[in-house]
Amino acid sequence: MTQLTPANAERLRNAFLQCRDMEGSLREQLEAYAAAGREIFPAYGEAVDRLVERLLANGGGENAPRPGDPMPPFVLPDHQGRLVTLDALIANGPVAVMFFRGHWCPYCRLNVRAVTQAMNRVEAMGAQVVAIMPETQEYAGRFKTESAAPFPVLTDLDNGYALSLNLAIWLGPEIQRLLSYYDMASFHGNDGWVLPIPATFVVGQDGLVKARFVDPDFRKRMEIDDLLAALQSAG
């Protein structure tokens, strides 16, 4: 089966809700959803494995900023069109700069929910979070609203900033076909099928990267405890 049937789409939605509401760490939630996805839509899981293998073979994400490197600055609009800069954010404390694939991605939704639930601890240490995604402001706003994220969600249209960090990847025809039930052209304002590798960079007030999590396998994300520890040490 190479196309997702309506019945299996409903099964995936139910699996997402179960994983979202389960007790456990973010990693455990992500792994549970990945396992459910493999059972319900095996063709996609296998295609993702091949994509990850290709990205790893090509050093996907390897050249993104590392600890000790300066974090390239950005000026990006939030969901209401207000411009947000990295310089303005780090003036107030360390920042976790997080890249997400899109509002449609269940792994991103699990990730942002876990971060949102930890925001009291983030703010207590004087730190901040900013999310960056390649979707138009309409869908960035939807992502922010649906996740109740109290931090900015910025639009990196055409992946310009992700490209500058060596994070942008082309999904390829196999993944395009399997995800054809999503209207990516509307989400992105183009039909390029380019997404960022989900990544997290903890940036200190000196503008230097203090910690990073970059993995071409979008099913894996920085654990919340690791994020909090990195922000604490960057403060």
Side-chain angles (χ1 to χ4, degrees):
M1 183 186 65
T2 59
Q3 295 295 326
L4 186 65
T5 65
N8 281 340
E10 182 63 23
R11 289 177 66 197
L12 278 177
R13 280 191 290 271
N14 290 334
F16 169 79
L17 293 175
Q18 290 174 359
C19 295
R20 184 195 68 184
D21 296 335
M22 68 180 277
E23 293 292 329
S25 67
L26 173 60
R27 179 181 59 80
E28 290 167 336
Q29 291 177 337
L30 294 169
E31 288 177 350
Y33 184 76
R38 284 188 183 279
E39 178 185 344
I40 296 167
F41 194 16
Y44 182 63
E46 293 163 6
V48 169
D49 289 341
R50 288 187 285 272
L51 171 65
V52 170
E53 185 177 344
R54 169 169 68 84
L55 294 173
L56 288 171
N58 291 315
E62 278 296 305
N63 294 323
R66 295 178 174 277
D69 292 343
M71 187 68 177
F74 60 73
V75 181
L76 296 170
D78 68 10
H79 69 291
Q80 294 180 324
R82 295 174 297 204
L83 293 178
V84 176
T85 70
L86 178 61
D87 288 347
L89 290 171
I90 61 174
N92 297 313
V95 179
V97 179
M98 306 187 69
F99 285 83
F100 293 100
R101 301 167 80 221
H103 78 285
W104 54 272
C105 172
Y107 298 92
C108 295
R109 286 155 56 200
L110 290 171
N111 193 176
V112 75
R113 185 173 187 269
V115 174
T116 296
Q117 290 177 330
M119 281 306 294
N120 285 342
R121 287 179 285 170
V122 171
E123 292 167 351
M125 63 180 74
Q128 304 161 85
V129 172
V130 63
I132 298 175
M133 56 200 301
E135 297 190 322
T136 65
Q137 290 168 26
E138 174 188 354
Y139 294 103
R142 184 176 299 184
F143 186 65
K144 179 177 172 65
T145 299
E146 290 177 352
S147 64
F151 44 82
V153 177
L154 310 183
T155 289
D156 182 26
L157 213 56
D158 299 329
N159 288 281
Y161 187 53
L163 281 165
S164 76
L165 303 183
N166 298 295
L167 289 177
I169 59 168
W170 178 58
L171 293 183
E174 183 180 30
I175 298 289
Q176 290 181 41
R177 184 172 64 254
L178 292 168
L179 291 181
S180 60
Y181 54 92
Y182 286 129
D183 187 2
M184 291 291 193
S186 291
F187 300 164
H188 296 162
N190 64 65
D191 59 359
W193 286 86
V194 174
L195 293 178
I197 294 173
T200 297
F201 301 89
V202 173
V203 185
Q205 288 192 272
D206 56 4
L208 300 181
V209 176
K210 306 301 181 182
R212 79 168 195 172
F213 182 94
V214 180
D215 194 322
D217 189 343
F218 61 79
R219 297 166 294 195
K220 300 175 182 178
R221 306 295 170 101
M222 190 178 206
E223 189 56 87
I224 300 302
D225 286 345
D226 294 337
L227 173 63
L228 293 171
L231 287 169
Q232 181 73 58
S233 64

